[in-house]
Amino acid sequence: MAAGPAGRRLAVLGHPVAHSRSPAMQNAALRELGLGGWSYEAIDVPPDRFEELVRSLPESGFAGANVTVPHKGAALTVAEELSEVAREVGAANTLAFEDGVVHAYNTDAAGLLAALPEPPEGRRALVLGAGGAARAVVWALVREGARVDVWNRTALRSSNLCEELGGSVVEAPDAGGYELIVNSTAVGLGGEDPFRELPLTRGGLHAGQTVVDLVYGAEPTVLAQAAREAGAQTVDGIEVLIRQGAESLRIWTGREPPIDTMRAAARATAPN
């Protein structure tokens, strides 16, 4: 999608969404790119109003939007045109509006892979969760050649995910046996203890592992801090946010995103 008119609006749609660092990150990038007429904001929209809101955005000057919890599945169904990745993942986190058509993309998968310190090929991976974010994670890791196990509190959801995307269901994982662990649940967003809510123990974290916590807010999260103390490499949710946001910005503007500027802005923004 090309840059188009001089002034265009962008947003992140979620419920809740006040904690998002996307506005600071994306507005910094737009300024760096010289797109001063563009702006990016956060819009809190409940599920029962999501489709109505999305349909109204183009007439209000919006070029596109990011989509976060709990709307990634709904974003797929509201769109007329789906990218191949969004279709295969079964969830979308990026919408673009062009000539009256809603296009849906998934940049979560590419964002995760870009944030990892090394390729996941051949590594044994544990994905926690089975929602929209987990779908992108599993899709990306399976296609990059990782051996993926999926845990979810509701086993039926993880079973359905694995049937569609690959990977194997695990009900009582031994976290110490994995080289890569990705928390794609919302545990930790509201201050929950991951060692009470997830099948993890502090003793199961160790050097040689990479632990990715897609939750962000406090820096670091309880899980990330415990992983660091155990000697594991960590990737926080902010880095994944930066990388997927860069892919979204490329879609909307056709410009190369200024990663360093986006990272500085995202990390300087205190959670609300």
Side-chain angles (χ1 to χ4, degrees):
M1 182 174 178
R8 303 298 298 274
R9 299 173 71 186
L10 301 165
V12 55
L13 313 178
H15 186 65
V17 78
H19 67 283
S20 178
R21 302 191 187 202
S22 290
M25 176 182 76
Q26 296 287 17
N27 282 316
L30 293 170
R31 289 192 297 270
E32 179 77 12
L33 292 172
L35 298 174
W38 290 61
S39 63
Y40 188 107
E41 62 197 88
I43 301 176
D44 192 315
V45 53
D48 61 353
R49 290 198 58 242
F50 179 77
E51 181 172 355
E52 175 189 358
L53 176 71
V54 169
R55 298 291 182 196
S56 74
L57 291 178
E59 64 190 39
S60 299
F62 282 84
N66 281 131
V67 179
T68 188
V69 176
H71 303 310
K72 293 185 180 184
L76 197 73
T77 60
V78 76
E80 288 89 20
E81 297 288 340
L82 309 180
S83 72
E84 181 180 353
V85 177
R87 182 181 292 106
E88 291 186 7
V89 170
N93 75 316
T94 302
L95 300 175
F97 311 126
E98 192 170 15
D99 299 327
V101 177
V102 180
H103 300 260
Y105 302 85
N106 189 299
T107 68
D108 283 333
L112 171 76
L113 295 174
L116 290 177
E118 56 190 25
E121 182 178 3
R123 306 189 84 195
R124 190 173 180 219
L126 172 64
V127 177
L128 304 171
R135 293 184 68 90
V137 170
V138 172
W139 183 91
L141 295 180
V142 167
R143 276 148 190 77
E144 290 297 311
R147 295 170 293 155
V148 181
D149 286 345
V150 181
W151 173 91
N152 190 63
R153 184 175 286 107
T154 304
L156 180 60
R157 291 193 70 189
S158 53
S159 177
N160 290 341
L161 185 156
C162 291
E163 285 181 10
E164 294 178 42
L165 302 178
S168 302
V169 176
V170 60
E171 295 187 9
D174 175 8
Y178 294 92
E179 298 159 279
L180 174 62
I181 299 173
V182 183
N183 174 32
S184 64
T185 75
V187 171
L189 184 60
E192 303 90 349
D193 181 354
F195 298 106
R196 291 175 59 91
E197 304 292 333
L198 300 173
L200 300 174
T201 63
R202 291 178 183 271
L205 304 175
H206 55 77
Q209 289 178 319
T210 298
V211 177
V212 182
D213 192 355
L214 297 185
V215 168
Y216 71 88
E219 286 187 74
T221 62
V222 172
L223 176 56
Q225 182 62 34
R228 291 179 189 177
E229 292 173 355
Q233 293 188 90
T234 61
V235 176
D236 64 16
I238 297 176
E239 186 63 25
V240 178
L241 175 79
I242 293 161
R243 298 294 186 155
Q244 65 81 22
E247 292 295 321
S248 297
L249 190 65
R250 187 179 286 112
I251 290 167
W252 296 320
T253 68
R255 304 282 292 276
E256 189 62 25
I259 296 290
D260 291 341
T261 296
M262 298 176 77
R263 182 179 293 112
R267 294 200 177 278
T269 304
N272 293 331

